[in-house]
Amino acid sequence: MIKSKYFFFLVLIALALTGCAKRGNITGGTLDTIPPRIKMSTPANFSTGFKDDKIRIVFDEYIKLKNINKQLIVSPPMTRPLEITPQTASRYIDIKIKDTLQPNTTYSINFGQSIEDNNEGNPYPQFKYVFSTGSYIDSLTLRGRVKDAYLKQPDSYISIMLYEANENFTDSTIYKTSPRYITNTLDSATTFQFDNLKEGKYMLIALKDENSNNRFDPRTDKIGFHREFIQIPNDTLYELELFKEDAPFRILKPSQTSGGRAVVGYEGNPKDLKLSLRNGNSELPIKISKMANRDSLVVWHKPVAADSLQLVATNADYTRSFYFRTKESKTDTLTFSGKSGNLHLREDFSITSTVPMTEIDKSKMQLINKDSVAVPFDAKYDSLDLRLRFVFEKEPLEKYRVRILPGAITDFFGRTNDSLSYNFATRNSTEYGNLRLTLENVRQFPVIVELTNDKGDVKAEAYSDAATVIDFNALEPALYTLRIIYDENRNKVWDTGSFLERRQTEQVIYFPTPIDVRANWDVDQTFSLK
């Protein structure tokens, strides 16, 4: 009996020890999701009669600053930037004011999302330190949203500005001076809000401020504006559409790049531009083409014995003359390129040349199908792109060959082509999809209808003077973005706006969701523009 009790006691001890040795997973405890808190600030937030040049903000834990240069918004803007220290982990932030503060003015220092706790990176969202050099804090607000006038998604970090519409305000003010108030949409937001505003009349501006100088630079910045001055207080929700203005047209100095070829850059829209080339009192015959992916024109001329030539550029309100030096060098070799392989049913086959074509003999060209049967075609030449297009009725699942005999093409320097041959084929129509679009509540015609990919590249387009049913056949299977442009001036392109003319852009309306076009599918889509 005693032995059995002793044995039972040993078994209990063994079980207890086994339980104590049981393995487990070590955890770090509950994840910290609480942002840092402010314990105190000196001077206190929302102080009046502010005369200090240094501010200290103390937190309940160690914090760090992230992207402070992008996130920080000081309104009204200061000529000399704030000095904010330390840039390492700390329990406080010191703000050194190096500018002269305006009297009777409410200032707001918005840190955006830049203040985070040092361990988990929890942000203190939209912390603002506000003070007034006067006897009270201005408290009026203004709200709104921004969008891009042409693209579906606006840029990030859009600056929204208010300029006082007083006796000193002119059209040139936004080019030369900083605004009275400023805020920002930050990363991905499309809305904005001004706080601590003073009653008054203002010009409302939005800028994609590429130079971060709080001034409008038309060469680099997008702008959006409200046409009329606005009065604060005001509970209107404003919408600003940003666009890039066309730069004022100007020609840059030309330079010779090879024998018989000069390149001239330009800024702005070269519409209606006329170029002439002179050797002394003699005007030389020229051809004009455009350089791919560059705002430059190529002026082709016959080689001449001259030290320099004069280029004269004119349009409706512009005349400029340049002299540039010439040198002996070889003219460009005449070569051709054409795409072989598959040809999309919506595309034309084309060849491009390195030198302008001046004569095209269609009788020395032939287009045949896989059965060697001649296919009727038209040959259309685009002189700016140096591109010759073969326009014909394409059949699905067909093979084609273009033959160009010697002498069919003569270039600007009198040279002709050797034999050229290109093979290409079309795919089955079942590999494509079709889209029938029905427009409703169209405000006015004409409209430009565009289908783009997710990058905004136009993949198909149509122009309608009155039709409300538009067919896009043989589309590549994809998700398409649909947009409609009201072509106010009937020039078949989207026109941007102008701040000085107080002219907004032509209106662009997007279909709210992507349109899924699948292979061998017919899609019917109604789009109400109301």
Side-chain angles (χ1 to χ4, degrees):
M1 187 70 176
I2 294 174
K3 289 183 178 181
S4 63
K5 286 182 178 181
Y6 182 73
F7 177 77
F8 181 74
F9 180 73
L10 290 176
V11 170
L12 288 177
I13 293 175
L15 289 173
L17 290 174
T18 303
C20 291
K22 184 178 179 181
R23 293 186 178 183
N25 295 323
I26 298 175
T27 65
T30 304
L31 183 67
D32 179 14
T33 60
I34 300 174
R37 296 187 179 93
I38 294 176
K39 292 179 63 177
M40 62 173 293
S41 57
T42 308
N45 204 356
F46 295 95
S47 293
T48 57
F50 188 94
K51 296 180 181 179
D52 296 79
D53 63 358
K54 185 176 180 180
I55 303 163
R56 171 163 285 193
I57 303 167
V58 181
F59 296 85
D60 65 345
E61 60 178 309
Y62 278 90
I63 59 96
K64 59 186 177 183
L65 298 176
K66 182 178 180 181
N67 294 330
I68 185 69
N69 292 332
K70 281 189 174 183
Q71 296 280 332
L72 188 71
I73 305 168
V74 182
S75 183
M78 296 183 184
T79 304
R80 302 180 67 187
L82 298 174
E83 181 182 302
I84 299 178
T85 56
Q87 296 294 320
T88 56
S90 174
R91 285 183 175 269
Y92 65 88
I93 294 173
D94 281 340
I95 304 171
K96 177 69 174 177
I97 299 174
K98 305 167 76 173
D99 210 5
T100 300
L101 300 178
Q102 303 174 40
N104 300 314
T105 300
T106 298
Y107 283 85
S108 172
I109 304 173
N110 190 334
F111 284 82
Q113 306 281 341
S114 64
I115 300 175
E116 299 180 346
D117 70 45
N118 187 50
N119 293 324
E120 301 297 339
N122 299 311
Y124 189 125
Q126 302 298 329
F127 168 65
K128 288 194 298 184
Y129 183 88
V130 180
F131 64 89
S132 173
T133 56
S135 59
Y136 61 91
I137 299 286
D138 292 319
S139 59
L140 299 177
T141 63
L142 182 73
R143 297 183 301 121
R145 65 186 295 266
V146 296
K147 61 179 291 190
D148 196 280
Y150 185 65
L151 302 177
K152 190 170 186 179
Q153 295 297 329
D155 296 302
S156 59
Y157 296 101
I158 300 299
S159 297
I160 321 299
M161 304 173 175
L162 284 172
Y163 288 85
E164 282 189 290
N166 54 27
E167 66 278 2
N168 296 320
F169 183 86
T170 65
D171 283 345
S172 63
T173 297
I174 70 169
Y175 301 85
K176 299 178 180 179
T177 62
S178 296
R180 171 70 176 188
Y181 298 106
I182 186 169
T183 188
N184 197 300
T185 61
L186 297 180
D187 298 284
S188 58
T190 58
T191 60
F192 64 86
Q193 177 167 322
F194 287 96
D195 296 309
N196 307 114
L197 299 179
K198 183 179 181 179
E199 181 178 354
K201 188 166 65 171
Y202 299 90
M203 169 62 75
L204 177 61
I205 299 288
L207 284 185
K208 177 58 178 174
D209 188 8
E210 299 288 355
N211 296 322
S212 300
N213 61 357
N214 298 327
R215 291 166 175 79
F216 176 41
D217 185 347
R219 296 180 186 275
T220 58
D221 298 343
K222 287 183 179 181
I223 187 171
F225 61 90
H226 189 69
R227 276 198 182 97
E228 295 83 24
F229 294 130
I230 64 173
Q231 187 70 41
I232 294 175
N234 192 324
D235 59 1
T236 303
L237 186 67
Y238 290 93
E239 182 176 82
L240 301 175
E241 295 188 354
L242 282 96
F243 58 88
K244 183 75 168 56
E245 288 188 350
D246 282 335
F249 179 77
R250 72 183 185 116
I251 283 284
L252 307 179
K253 185 176 177 61
S255 61
Q256 182 184 347
T257 55
S258 63
R261 182 175 73 155
V263 173
V264 54
Y266 63 87
E267 294 178 354
N269 189 345
K271 180 183 178 183
D272 301 326
L273 175 66
K274 294 181 180 180
L275 297 175
S276 61
L277 192 64
R278 297 180 178 277
N279 179 18
N281 294 324
S282 302
E283 184 169 339
L284 303 178
I286 60 173
K287 291 290 182 182
I288 308 294
S289 64
K290 192 177 186 308
M291 295 191 72
N293 303 318
R294 287 180 57 185
D295 289 339
S296 297
L297 298 173
V298 181
V299 181
W300 300 88
H301 64 89
K302 304 289 177 63
V304 292
D307 292 332
S308 64
L309 297 175
Q310 180 188 16
L311 181 72
V312 180
T314 59
N315 64 11
D317 51 8
Y318 181 95
T319 300
R320 190 76 190 271
S321 177
F322 296 93
Y323 286 90
F324 64 96
R325 289 188 170 278
T326 61
K327 57 185 177 181
E328 289 189 14
S329 57
K330 295 182 179 180
T331 57
D332 292 82
T333 303
L334 176 62
T335 59
F336 299 87
S337 60
K339 181 182 177 182
S340 297
N342 287 324
L343 180 70
H344 196 291
L345 289 174
R346 297 177 60 87
E347 295 177 355
D348 294 324
F349 175 76
S350 63
I351 61 171
T352 56
S353 61
T354 52
V355 179
M357 307 178 196
T358 54
E359 296 180 23
I360 299 170
D361 187 350
K362 186 182 171 183
S363 67
K364 295 181 179 180
M365 301 178 181
Q366 187 182 40
L367 172 63
I368 58 174
N369 62 17
K370 62 185 175 185
D371 297 322
S372 298
V373 176
V375 178
F377 69 95
D378 287 328
K380 296 186 177 181
Y381 182 58
D382 184 341
S383 59
L384 276 180
D385 292 332
L386 307 183
R387 184 181 301 275
L388 180 63
R389 293 189 298 123
F390 292 77
V391 183
F392 64 98
E393 191 70 30
K394 291 171 283 296
E395 297 292 335
L397 275 180
E398 185 60 272
K399 294 181 179 179
Y400 297 95
R401 173 179 292 182
V402 169
R403 293 174 177 169
I404 302 177
L405 299 178
I409 299 172
T410 304
D411 78 356
F412 180 68
F413 300 109
R415 300 169 300 195
T416 58
N417 65 288
D418 295 326
S419 294
L420 300 171
S421 179
Y422 302 95
N423 298 308
F424 54 92
T426 57
R427 296 185 297 180
N428 198 330
S429 58
T430 58
E431 297 184 45
Y432 302 99
N434 302 316
L435 170 63
R436 168 161 288 186
L437 179 64
T438 302
L439 301 178
E440 295 180 347
N441 303 305
V442 180
R443 173 170 55 83
Q444 68 179 52
F445 287 95
V447 293
I448 304 170
V449 184
E450 294 180 335
L451 296 176
T452 77
N453 60 15
D454 57 358
K455 297 180 181 179
D457 303 321
V458 177
K459 294 300 182 180
E461 63 181 323
Y463 193 79
S464 174
D465 285 304
T468 57
V469 177
I470 300 168
D471 289 320
F472 291 99
N473 295 322
L475 293 172
E476 290 278 2
L479 287 173
Y480 289 95
T481 297
L482 167 64
R483 67 182 168 214
I484 307 294
I485 301 171
Y486 282 113
D487 188 20
E488 304 279 352
N489 60 2
R490 298 176 173 268
N491 65 349
K492 297 188 176 181
V493 295
W494 176 77
D495 289 289
T496 189
S498 166
F499 172 74
L500 291 179
E501 298 174 17
R502 296 295 192 274
R503 173 170 49 84
Q504 301 286 359
T505 66
E506 290 182 327
Q507 186 180 11
V508 179
I509 302 175
Y510 278 88
F511 190 71
T513 58
I515 298 176
D516 188 5
V517 176
R518 302 183 183 183
N520 203 28
W521 274 38
D522 293 321
V523 180
D524 288 308
Q525 183 65 63
T526 299
F527 186 8
S528 175
L529 279 70
K530 187 174 181 180

